[in-house]
Amino acid sequence: TIIINIPDSIKGVRQFFSNGCHLINILEYLIGDFEIINSLIREDSSHNDMESITSICSNSKWNIIINAHSLLPANFSITINSGKELIELKPIEKLSFFKGMQVQEPTSQSPIRKYNPVLEKFIFEDNQLKPGFEKMYYCFKKFIKYDKQNNLCDLFEAKKTIEKCHKLIKNFSYDI
């Protein structure tokens, strides 16, 4: 199972397209195409805009839950539950690998038994997945001048990602 968390400090469809599309694109990069089975959209009726969306999706290998929620105090994240391993991008710049559980028995200070995942290793961003403005500018300039491909999202992938975002909210009436 893969869980995508797309919180945002601003409500609405525009913000979902501004920020959510990046996580949808990363997801497609990691697992390939996926089918949207159902999307539940909660509307903020006072502003006539989208407040949250929860989508159930899948492909031949993965079940996927996408949670985009406005004003949620959380980090953007992608969590992959794979067998006995947990792989997590949280925040997106930090990739963590967990394997196994460590049981912490109750104490007088903390009377509840805790089950903590064991962190095997983590990797911080090296500007490969989130290149920053300067690197994007040089890659775009190189693309225009030489038509060279690189590991950044190309125009075809960007169009496909935006179309996927439209499908996720297809039952919601909106103007962008």
Side-chain angles (χ1 to χ4, degrees):
T1 304
I2 299 176
I3 302 166
I4 311 296
N5 197 31
I6 308 171
D8 216 309
S9 59
I10 301 171
K11 289 183 181 181
V13 171
R14 285 179 187 252
Q15 198 66 15
F16 174 71
F17 279 96
S18 293
N19 282 333
C21 67
H22 298 293
L23 272 79
I24 302 302
N25 182 255
I26 291 171
L27 177 64
E28 288 183 316
Y29 175 80
L30 293 172
I31 68 164
D33 196 21
F34 59 90
E35 175 187 358
I36 301 163
I37 297 169
N38 195 16
S39 289
L40 301 171
I41 299 169
R42 178 163 299 204
E43 185 177 348
D44 176 359
S45 56
S46 64
H47 295 95
N48 195 28
D49 209 341
M50 184 179 81
E51 182 176 301
S52 67
I53 178 171
T54 302
S55 296
I56 306 297
C57 309
S58 71
N59 68 10
S60 61
K61 185 174 179 182
W62 298 101
N63 293 325
I64 305 149
I65 299 169
I66 298 173
N67 179 43
H69 199 287
S70 303
L71 309 179
L72 188 69
N75 279 312
F76 288 80
S77 64
I78 298 176
T79 303
I80 301 172
N81 301 309
S82 177
K84 295 183 179 182
E85 296 179 322
L86 177 78
I87 303 164
E88 188 169 60
L89 284 164
K90 183 179 179 180
I92 295 302
E93 299 83 4
K94 182 182 177 188
L95 175 62
S96 300
F97 297 88
F98 298 92
K99 193 170 187 176
M101 296 289 268
Q102 182 178 36
V103 178
Q104 184 179 350
E105 294 298 334
T107 64
S108 58
Q109 292 84 13
S110 180
I112 299 170
R113 179 178 290 121
K114 297 177 186 173
Y115 299 88
N116 301 312
V118 177
L119 177 65
E120 281 195 325
K121 68 177 181 175
F122 65 90
I123 303 167
F124 277 104
E125 168 194 359
D126 66 356
N127 294 333
Q128 294 287 329
L129 296 176
K130 187 177 175 187
F133 177 77
E134 185 177 7
K135 189 170 182 182
M136 285 192 294
Y137 164 77
Y138 286 114
C139 288
F140 186 66
K141 182 178 174 183
K142 185 177 170 184
F143 169 75
I144 289 179
K145 191 171 183 179
Y146 304 110
D147 193 31
K148 299 283 183 191
Q149 294 296 321
N150 55 51
N151 67 339
L152 297 178
C153 179
D154 62 24
L155 294 176
F156 174 76
E157 289 176 32
K159 181 178 184 280
K160 186 176 150 189
T161 298
I162 294 298
E163 288 170 351
K164 183 73 74 176
C165 288
H166 279 285
K167 287 179 184 176
L168 284 164
I169 60 171
K170 73 177 181 178
N171 295 327
F172 185 73
S173 175
Y174 59 92
D175 293 320
I176 295 185

